[in-house]
Amino acid sequence: MKILFPLMAFYPSQIGGVSNTTYWLTKALYKEKIDVTIVSTNVGIEKNQIETNKFIRTDYGKVFYGQGNAFNPKIILKALSQVKHNDIVHINGLFDPIGLVTFIYTRLFFPSKILICSIRGGLSSVALSYSPVRKRFSLLFYRMQNKNVYFHGTSQKEIEDTKKVLKIKKNYFYLPNYIEPKKRFKNIELKKKFIFLGRIHPIKSIENLITAISVSNFFLINGFILEIVGTFENRHVSYYNKLKKLVQKLGLDNTVKFSGHIEGEDKERKLAESYALVLPSSTENFGNVVLEALNHGTPVIASKYTPWEILEKYKTGIYTDNTPQALANSIDSIIKMNKKEYLSYRTNSINLIDNKYTIKNNINNWVEIYNTYKK
């Protein structure tokens, strides 16, 4: 079986969760002796970190990293040239220019080929409110050309959102994201710190989290800090400035720390040493950072607009509304836990990852999907 992945960004880029999700997937598929081809940009990758503008062999498949962004016609043409050589084309994100053009090209010239379309959060009402005209135009192609096309959601809600938007009755399947767990630290020293890690973007509702710690009954008096780890696109600089002004207004200059973009072992250590991760998003199709935090035993507070209700079932965190008061109450609940209960949450978090979310133990689910639709 041969599978093509046309992508806007790919590992070692850390631009969004898709970069890592597809890396873990393609690496596991390659170990299963499946022929994987990836065409992507070098966006988010340091100069000289990888070879560009040529196919290279890796332990996650045959990869072409083109210089430039996802609108570069040379990169798009390279993706199109690979369609005929593959049995399945797996798109990740419906509005990625490389993926969208590859989708249209495949439907027009290779209509019998199988297309898998991972939604990646693009069809929630909040996500669709950004660049709505361009997205409405793009959706026309997905609605009209749905034979041999299968839509992948990482939560049941995402599948329901997709059905409402595309108005296609069938050809959907659910699989969560899986993770290749990073090495866990031994005897990590916990800090009095809650952490947000991700893009600084309005859909993340970070302002609600900042306000929450100001109204918490236990956060400030117990000497906790909030570390915000992540960066922002130029178009969201005003949102970042809004957050900085809010911190000043609430007198939290010594309590809230903006750390910028961090990756690699430094990122893993920050997650491991934190008392809890908070994901206050107003929409989230999955949230890979939850997996990354739980892998180190760090409990998670996630908003009800994310697909993480499982946190409470397995006693690994709290699932809540994302209003400032609701977040404050959840933060207080974590801080008030006695040592035994808190440590049990950390143990449960690691067990949940090992039992349900490792790519090594679950790659058979993806292989089964590909084999089923290929027939």
Side-chain angles (χ1 to χ4, degrees):
M1 186 179 354
K2 297 181 179 181
I3 306 175
L4 170 65
F5 290 82
L7 296 160
M8 183 168 60
F10 185 72
Y11 177 89
S13 172
Q14 297 298 300
I15 303 296
V18 177
S19 298
N20 284 327
T21 297
T22 51
Y23 165 64
W24 295 322
L25 173 59
T26 54
K27 187 176 180 181
L29 290 172
Y30 194 70
K31 287 181 179 178
E32 295 292 317
K33 309 301 181 184
I34 292 175
D35 193 338
V36 174
T37 299
I38 300 138
V39 176
S40 186
T41 72
N42 67 337
V43 172
I45 301 174
E46 293 182 10
K47 189 177 181 181
N48 301 322
Q49 192 174 358
I50 47 92
E51 293 183 81
T52 58
N53 294 335
K54 61 183 288 189
F55 274 108
I56 58 175
R57 290 284 178 180
T58 70
D59 65 350
Y60 42 91
K62 183 178 72 170
V63 191
F64 181 90
Y65 292 99
Q67 287 187 342
N69 61 36
F71 293 94
N72 186 330
K74 292 182 179 179
I75 303 174
I76 294 174
L77 287 172
K78 183 62 69 174
L80 301 185
S81 73
Q82 297 303 303
V83 171
K84 64 182 178 181
H85 302 299
N86 288 270
D87 305 306
I88 296 172
V89 178
H90 189 156
I91 307 297
N92 283 267
L94 301 189
F95 307 113
D96 164 9
I98 298 175
L100 175 60
V101 175
T102 304
F103 176 92
I104 297 169
Y105 175 81
T106 304
R107 290 275 55 82
L108 290 176
F109 297 102
F110 301 92
S112 63
K113 286 192 182 290
I114 300 301
L115 273 155
I116 304 289
C117 298
S118 292
I119 306 303
R120 304 301 182 197
L123 297 184
S124 71
S125 58
V126 176
L128 287 172
S129 67
Y130 295 93
S131 305
V133 176
R134 175 177 63 84
K135 290 180 178 179
R136 280 200 297 269
F137 177 75
S138 300
L139 287 172
L140 292 175
F141 296 102
Y142 294 104
R143 290 185 180 124
M144 291 188 297
Q145 303 285 342
N146 56 71
K147 185 178 180 181
N148 294 326
V149 180
Y150 301 91
F151 296 96
H152 162 231
T154 53
S155 69
Q156 294 296 341
K157 183 180 183 304
E158 183 168 50
I159 289 176
E160 292 306 314
D161 287 343
T162 304
K163 287 180 179 179
K164 290 177 184 177
V165 173
L166 295 182
K167 298 177 173 59
I168 300 170
K169 294 182 179 180
K170 56 182 182 178
N171 295 5
Y172 301 94
F173 68 96
Y174 156 75
L175 277 181
N177 287 343
Y178 298 114
I179 187 175
E180 183 182 272
K182 297 292 185 181
K183 185 177 180 181
R184 291 161 184 154
F185 299 94
K186 293 183 178 179
N187 303 317
I188 193 76
E189 182 181 351
L190 286 178
K191 296 185 177 180
K192 285 188 172 183
K193 175 177 71 178
F194 282 64
I195 187 172
F196 166 88
L197 193 153
R199 293 179 299 151
I200 295 180
H201 187 290
I203 66 172
K204 301 295 183 178
S205 299
I206 303 169
E207 67 276 17
N208 290 4
L209 175 57
I210 292 171
T211 304
I213 66 172
S214 73
V215 299
S216 161
N217 293 320
F218 297 98
F219 192 91
L220 296 176
I221 64 172
N222 282 282
F224 279 86
I225 66 166
L226 170 63
E227 184 167 6
I228 298 172
V229 179
T231 188
F232 53 89
E233 299 174 37
N234 289 336
R235 58 184 173 146
H236 296 310
V237 64
S238 61
Y239 178 65
Y240 173 73
N241 290 334
K242 172 185 172 182
L243 297 178
K244 297 281 284 188
K245 289 178 182 177
L246 179 62
V247 169
Q248 294 175 348
K249 177 183 176 182
L250 297 175
L252 299 173
D253 300 78
N254 296 323
T255 304
V256 178
K257 177 183 179 183
F258 290 86
S259 299
H261 179 69
I262 297 173
E263 58 186 72
E265 186 174 317
D266 290 340
K267 182 185 80 170
E268 302 301 324
R269 185 175 295 279
K270 283 193 178 293
L271 287 170
E273 70 188 12
S274 297
Y275 212 73
L277 171 93
V278 187
L279 186 65
S281 306
S282 56
T283 183
E284 199 80 51
N285 72 298
F286 192 75
N288 277 347
V289 68
V290 173
L291 296 182
E292 294 174 305
L294 295 176
N295 178 60
H296 291 296
T298 302
V300 174
I301 297 171
S303 89
K304 69 179 185 181
Y305 305 106
T306 74
W308 284 102
E309 58 266 33
I310 196 174
L311 294 171
E312 296 198 340
K313 178 180 178 181
Y314 288 88
K315 295 188 181 301
T316 59
I318 297 175
Y319 192 59
T320 182
D321 202 342
N322 71 342
T323 64
Q325 190 59 61
L327 291 169
N329 293 342
S330 299
I331 288 168
D332 288 347
S333 293
I334 295 286
I335 295 174
K336 288 190 297 181
M337 287 182 181
N338 61 47
K339 184 177 180 180
K340 182 179 179 180
E341 183 181 13
Y342 176 75
L343 291 178
S344 74
Y345 268 60
R346 294 192 71 90
T347 299
N348 295 342
S349 297
I350 291 172
N351 290 340
L352 179 59
I353 291 297
D354 290 345
N355 293 334
K356 283 186 170 290
Y357 291 105
T358 62
I359 189 67
K360 179 180 178 181
N361 295 337
N362 291 282
I363 188 58
N364 60 299
N365 293 331
W366 268 112
V367 173
E368 183 179 349
I369 287 289
Y370 290 133
N371 280 327
T372 298
Y373 295 141
K374 183 174 176 290
K375 293 176 183 179

